[in-house]
């Protein structure tokens, strides 16, 4: 091969690389433009004022619809989540609220990598406090009184479906600002005895109405357990095996959760159940699909959760007593909270 041929081949290769790079940039730009445009047939969204209390029964959630309000907190009528949405301008990856207090888990985009933050919001969605989150946010909860907020983040791995993951669950007193950055700081009692292990993970906090009791998932030695926490004594006590992402009913009598079932695919291992805390009886819910979410109680009879959808996620409802069937309540929605 002559030197001239080598030069021609090199120039041709460089031109091909430049063309590929230019096409990639144009494709990414076009895709970004499409994301900024609302799709026909989607829910009607308008910018406006959004409050976490005082506007009557509403459901507030993360809007997943493509367009200028993607990822913003929006509100819709509690009895019609698929109806017109009011967009707040506040973006969250995960969200929850109660009694006029909200917790918003969000990404902070940096030049090299993203970091994450938990922001405590007042009833007008104004920031009251912020806390660093050590990994990718996955769960968020506010206590019924609004005094406590909790969040969970992945600090290793990125899915609850596998076994190679690590989580960090934090709780903050929204009045005093006192932060417990990890539930591993609490004393754990398992099967009536003090317990400590290097592989302990906690996630999915849910609060009782007494501003003292909470529930969460503990994983250790290949198993998961429902634990009851005490905010004053700083203790965790195991109650029931094979419970993940618990959610306490408004009347405090039942826990809704996802449970690993035998024979299910490794990447979709969960079915939904409700546990009666007094009797220990488990009720399977009428949702045949695997659900990877922390359920929300709309009231004492109905549960709400997210499943993958065309826009990322849709919200579904199912009766809490095991009867009936699941219904899609809203498209392009995630992380609901019911507020008055």
């Amino acid at each position: 091969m002559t030197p001239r041929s080598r030069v021609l081949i090199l120039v041709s290769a460089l031109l091909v690389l430049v063309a590929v790079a230019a096409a990639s940039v144009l494709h990414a730009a076009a895709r970004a433009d499409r994301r900024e445009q609302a799709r026909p047939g989607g829910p009607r969204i308008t910018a406006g004022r959004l409050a976490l209390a005082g506007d009557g029964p509403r459901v507030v959630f993360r809007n997943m619809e493509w367009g200028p309000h993607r990822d913003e907190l929006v509100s819709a009528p509690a009895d019609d989540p698929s109806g017109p949405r009011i967009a707040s301008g506040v973006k969250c990856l995960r969200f929850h609220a109660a009694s006029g207090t909200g917790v918003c888990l969000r990404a902070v985009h940096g030049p090299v990598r993203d970091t994450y933050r938990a922001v405590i919001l007042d009833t007008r969605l104004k920031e009251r406090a912020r806390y660093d989150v050590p990994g990718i946010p996955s769960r968020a909860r506010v206590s019924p009184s609004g005094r406590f907020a909790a969040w969970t983040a992945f600090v290793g791995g990125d899915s609850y479906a596998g076994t190679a993951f690590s989580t960090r669950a934090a709780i903050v007193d929204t009045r005093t600002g006192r932060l417990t950055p990890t539930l591993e700081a609490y004393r754990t009692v398992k099967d009536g005895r003090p317990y400590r292990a290097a592989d302990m993970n906690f996630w999915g906090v849910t609060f009782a109405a007494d501003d003292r009791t909470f529930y969460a998932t503990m994983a250790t030695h290949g198993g998961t357990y429902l634990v009851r926490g005490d905010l004053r004594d700083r203790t965790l006590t195991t109650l029931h095996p094979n419970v993940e992402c618990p959610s306490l009913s408004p009347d405090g009598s039942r826990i809704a959760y996802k449970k690993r079932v035998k024979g299910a695919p490794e990447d979709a291992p969960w079915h939904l159940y409700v546990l009666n805390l007094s009797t220990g009886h488990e009720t399977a819910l009428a949702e045949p699909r695997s659900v990877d979410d922390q359920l929300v109680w709309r009231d004492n009879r109905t549960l709400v959760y997210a499943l993958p959808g065309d826009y990322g996620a849709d919200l579904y409802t199912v009766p809490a007593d095991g009867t009936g069937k699941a219904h899609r309540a809203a498209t392009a929605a995630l992380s609901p909270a019911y507020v008055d």
Side-chain angles (χ1 to χ4, degrees):
M1 182 180 294
T2 66
R4 185 172 181 273
S5 298
R6 293 193 185 96
V7 171
L8 289 174
I9 291 173
L10 177 61
V11 170
S12 299
L14 289 173
L15 290 174
V16 169
L17 290 175
V18 170
V20 169
S24 298
V25 171
L26 291 174
H27 176 74
R31 186 178 180 185
D33 287 341
R34 289 196 297 272
R35 289 180 177 180
E36 291 298 318
Q37 298 174 2
R39 298 183 184 182
R44 182 165 62 87
I45 307 173
T46 56
R49 185 186 67 84
L50 192 160
L52 299 180
D55 285 347
R58 310 283 294 175
V59 58
V60 180
F61 54 88
R62 175 186 170 189
N63 174 56
M64 304 293 288
E65 166 76 25
W66 291 121
H69 301 293
R70 169 82 175 187
D71 296 327
E72 291 183 21
L73 295 181
V74 299
S75 72
D79 59 357
D80 184 19
S82 63
R85 301 176 180 181
I86 298 173
S88 67
V90 176
K91 292 189 175 183
C92 302
L93 299 175
R94 289 282 178 173
F95 168 78
H96 192 249
S99 296
T101 296
V103 59
C104 169
L105 306 183
R106 61 174 55 147
V108 181
H109 302 295
V112 178
R113 65 183 181 89
D114 290 347
T115 56
Y116 301 94
R117 179 180 298 161
V119 178
I120 306 301
L121 303 173
D122 68 12
T123 188
R124 300 296 181 188
L125 301 185
K126 300 300 182 182
E127 181 178 318
R128 291 173 49 193
R130 64 172 65 178
Y131 303 89
D132 291 335
V133 175
I136 300 172
S138 64
R139 305 288 181 243
R141 274 296 187 272
V142 175
S143 66
S145 70
R147 177 170 179 179
F148 293 96
W151 54 86
T152 304
F154 287 110
V155 294
D158 59 1
S159 172
Y160 293 109
T163 57
F165 69 89
S166 181
T167 57
R168 194 77 48 79
I171 295 178
V172 67
D173 185 327
T174 64
R175 296 181 188 172
T176 67
R178 182 187 182 189
L179 174 69
T180 299
T182 172
L183 290 184
E184 294 173 32
Y186 278 42
R187 180 170 59 88
T188 300
V189 177
K190 181 177 179 290
D191 300 326
R193 298 180 179 180
Y195 182 79
R196 190 71 187 172
D199 70 342
M200 294 167 68
N201 277 307
F202 298 94
W203 67 86
V205 172
T206 182
F207 294 97
D210 61 4
D211 278 343
R212 177 171 181 171
T213 307
F214 67 93
Y215 299 86
T217 294
M218 179 182 78
T220 182
H221 289 245
T224 60
Y225 302 86
L226 175 68
V227 294
R228 182 180 61 237
D230 189 308
L231 290 165
R232 298 181 194 172
D233 294 342
R234 295 175 66 83
T235 58
L236 297 162
T237 304
T238 59
L239 298 180
H240 198 81
N242 199 5
V243 171
E244 298 184 53
C245 297
S247 181
L248 184 64
S249 61
D251 63 12
S253 67
R254 291 158 293 161
I255 290 282
Y257 60 101
K258 60 180 190 178
K259 173 182 178 178
R260 291 177 185 264
V261 295
K262 293 182 179 180
E266 290 186 3
D267 61 346
W270 301 289
H271 283 186
L272 299 181
Y273 284 78
V274 168
L275 173 71
N276 186 302
L277 289 171
S278 296
T279 66
H281 178 72
E282 292 181 315
T283 299
L285 301 186
E287 170 54 84
R289 294 162 291 189
S290 180
V291 176
D292 182 11
D293 196 15
Q294 186 174 17
L295 294 85
V296 169
W297 292 80
R298 188 182 70 187
D299 49 44
N300 282 309
R301 300 178 302 276
T302 307
L303 289 155
V304 185
Y305 52 94
L307 282 170
D310 291 341
Y311 300 91
D314 297 332
L315 293 181
Y316 288 78
T317 64
V318 70
D321 62 1
T323 64
K325 61 181 181 179
H327 293 278
R328 185 164 62 181
T331 60
L334 186 66
S335 287
Y338 287 83
V339 301
D340 293 324

